[in-house]
Amino acid sequence: MEEHDANLDPGKLRFDMTESPTVGGIRLGLCCIFHEQPIKFRNTTVKAISAMKRGDGLAKLSGLCLANADALLAALEYCAEEGIGCFRINSQILPVKTHETCGYRVEELPDGEEIVKRFKACGKFAKKHNIRTCFHPDQFVVLNSPKEDVVERSLAELEYQSEVAEWVGADVVNIHGGGAYGNKQESLERFAETLSRLSKRARSRLTVENDDVTYTPADLLPLCQSTGIPLVYDVHHHRCNPDELSIEEATTAAIATWNREPMFHLSSPLEGWKGPKPQRHHDYIDVTDFPDCWRNLELTVEVEAKAKELAVLKLKKQLAETWSAYIVQCADGSYYTGVTNELSQRIATHNAGKGAKYTRSRLPVELVYHESLPNKSAALKRELAIKGLSRSAKANLISGGNKSR
């Protein structure tokens, strides 16, 4: 265990975060497991280990840890191949590590040295391929609980995950603010006081996230600003549990808490924003839920979607697309408005007589106006708005806008 440092200034700590493999400036993150890829992380139960003699139990746990180190390397290799810039490591990467009776020190395991060696190899691979890694401890990790035993178990869990984080080069161990316990201010003060009990290794990696029930970004920002703990801004949680801040304001304020590349969370509601329980996560991300104000930022966005790698890859493709609403002038002088994500190809298709029925008998067409939109939905809405304009209004739009050159 490292020494505890009550006066640690995390603002002076720097992690090696080089330019990321991004879509624009966005590094997308995959969370913990896979939907289709045959990459599996192994676990066990306290009941199973408790039924064994201590030596046999340690031998089994040692084998699981080795297998998980190998699975992590496979996960990182997949991310490198697919251009996924971040991977969240499962909290049980070392199974039952901190359990009060079945827990263990890595040095106790028969393959302890080899386990550490393999995890460090994962760290070298991640660094070489510029893949960020992180942890997100389970909900039972609560630093502001009024119950000392809960706090002690939470500290032990943070220390364990921070130890593995050090091996692999992970720079984030993210938790929620915890409970309100009838008084948010006192609970957050208790959170801040508990930080002094963390080692430097854990303290320097700790981040806090707004949740969908209790703590909003506005609640947590004063804590982050006073302690130097970065805010992982979850925009889905913010939409479910809003405060006086807009998404743009919360984004700017959250970024200001970071001394390295910021990390945010994104998910979409299972049954839409008007559904009965918008907190529940969809299999995929609705690209319209991706805030426009994030698009030009240098940022890690963890994709919290049930389809896992499929959702990340779909979003990655959608963010790379450029959608346009456009106007062409036909040979008879009339205007046609459409949308596309391949503008030059679409104009060529029109002039080849394979485009819209309206333009086929009015060739050739000439591109006279276009607007770039963040996604297909926005482009379709803009197309509808332009189609509703009078001819003279369209002419004014064309004369003052993005003419084709």
Side-chain angles (χ1 to χ4, degrees):
M1 179 70 67
E2 291 190 18
E3 75 282 359
H4 296 287
D5 189 345
N7 298 312
L8 178 67
D9 178 3
K12 295 180 180 178
L13 293 168
R14 299 284 169 174
F15 291 88
D16 183 15
M17 295 297 299
T18 53
E19 190 173 341
S20 62
T22 61
V23 180
I26 300 296
R27 181 200 300 262
L28 296 181
L30 171 62
C31 298
C32 301
I33 59 175
F34 293 82
H35 187 75
E36 287 189 348
Q37 291 299 307
I39 301 171
K40 306 292 183 183
F41 293 91
R42 299 176 61 190
N43 203 351
T44 188
T45 64
V46 169
K47 182 178 180 180
I49 298 301
S50 297
M52 298 179 176
K53 293 181 179 179
R54 180 65 173 171
D56 293 339
L58 290 175
K60 177 176 181 176
L61 289 164
S62 188
L64 293 175
C65 293
L66 286 172
N68 285 345
D70 292 342
L72 177 58
L73 182 59
L76 294 172
E77 289 172 344
Y78 174 83
C79 289
E81 291 171 1
E82 297 294 337
I84 297 173
C86 180
F87 185 75
R88 181 192 294 177
I89 300 172
N90 192 303
S91 294
Q92 291 299 315
I93 195 78
L94 303 186
V96 300
K97 174 68 167 64
T98 62
H99 189 267
E100 56 185 352
T101 58
C102 297
Y104 51 90
R105 291 178 295 106
V106 176
E107 294 80 3
E108 294 181 79
L109 300 178
D111 303 297
E113 290 186 4
E114 179 63 20
I115 290 167
V116 176
K117 180 180 177 181
R118 292 193 194 182
F119 276 105
K120 287 185 176 180
C122 291
K124 290 179 181 178
F125 181 91
K127 183 176 182 180
K128 179 180 178 181
H129 294 273
N130 202 15
I131 300 170
R132 192 178 193 180
T133 52
C134 61
F135 287 81
H136 194 354
D138 297 328
Q139 297 283 1
F140 67 80
V141 175
V142 182
L143 290 188
N144 67 353
S145 173
K147 297 181 179 180
E148 178 57 23
D149 61 328
V150 173
V151 174
E152 288 183 356
R153 289 196 298 271
S154 298
L155 291 169
E157 189 71 12
L158 289 174
E159 293 295 346
Y160 138 58
Q161 295 191 35
S162 295
E163 180 180 20
V164 183
E166 188 173 64
W167 298 341
V168 301
D171 70 314
V172 169
V173 178
N174 180 52
I175 64 174
H176 289 173
Y181 305 105
N183 190 314
K184 282 187 179 182
Q185 184 59 38
E186 289 182 2
S187 296
L188 290 177
E189 289 173 1
R190 218 165 30 245
F191 185 108
E193 291 168 1
T194 307
L195 295 178
S196 64
R197 299 168 63 180
L198 287 169
S199 68
K200 179 179 179 181
R201 174 169 60 198
R203 177 75 165 79
S204 64
R205 290 173 168 82
L206 189 69
T207 63
V208 65
E209 173 191 349
N210 60 294
D211 63 77
D212 56 8
V213 175
T214 307
Y215 291 108
T216 69
D219 291 329
L220 294 177
L221 281 165
L223 171 74
C224 295
Q225 292 157 356
S226 65
T227 64
I229 299 295
L231 177 65
V232 172
Y233 175 45
D234 189 312
V235 69
H236 187 161
H237 289 172
H238 193 199
R239 286 165 170 152
C240 293
N241 184 21
D243 52 25
E244 65 271 21
L245 297 176
S246 66
I247 290 175
E248 292 76 12
E249 290 169 336
T251 293
T252 299
I255 288 173
T257 66
W258 287 83
N259 67 344
R260 52 199 185 275
E261 181 176 302
M263 178 177 288
F264 289 179
H265 288 176
L266 176 70
S267 46
S268 290
L270 178 61
E271 299 174 276
W273 290 109
K274 295 182 180 179
K277 295 181 180 180
Q279 294 89 347
R280 294 187 295 182
H281 291 184
H282 199 286
D283 289 352
Y284 291 90
I285 301 297
D286 182 338
V287 71
T288 62
D289 287 332
F290 193 99
D292 290 343
C293 63
W294 289 10
R295 285 179 173 266
N296 296 318
L297 300 177
E298 296 292 332
L299 187 67
T300 296
V301 177
E302 287 196 286
V303 178
E304 297 187 323
K306 294 179 181 179
K308 299 299 178 179
E309 75 276 18
L310 303 183
V312 176
L313 295 177
K314 181 179 179 180
L315 179 61
K316 183 172 181 282
K317 179 180 179 181
Q318 289 175 316
L319 291 177
E321 292 176 340
T322 300
W323 281 89
S324 298
Y326 67 90
I327 301 174
V328 293
Q329 186 168 22
C330 302
D332 63 0
S334 63
Y335 295 136
Y336 172 82
T337 304
V339 299
T340 181
N341 61 353
E342 293 287 350
L343 187 58
S344 59
Q345 181 179 323
R346 184 60 180 164
I347 303 308
T349 299
H350 279 301
N351 281 321
K354 298 178 181 180
K357 183 178 180 180
Y358 182 86
T359 61
R360 291 174 196 168
S361 60
R362 296 172 171 82
L363 298 177
V365 302
E366 178 187 1
L367 178 67
V368 292
Y369 179 82
H370 70 276
E371 293 180 23
S372 294
L373 284 304
N375 51 63
K376 184 178 181 179
S377 177
L380 288 170
K381 289 178 182 177
R382 183 56 178 152
E383 175 195 31
L384 188 62
I386 293 173
K387 283 182 174 180
L389 297 176
S390 65
R391 178 178 173 82
S392 60
K394 288 177 184 177
N396 289 335
L397 186 65
I398 292 167
S399 65
N402 297 317
K403 290 185 177 181
S404 175
R405 294 182 183 276

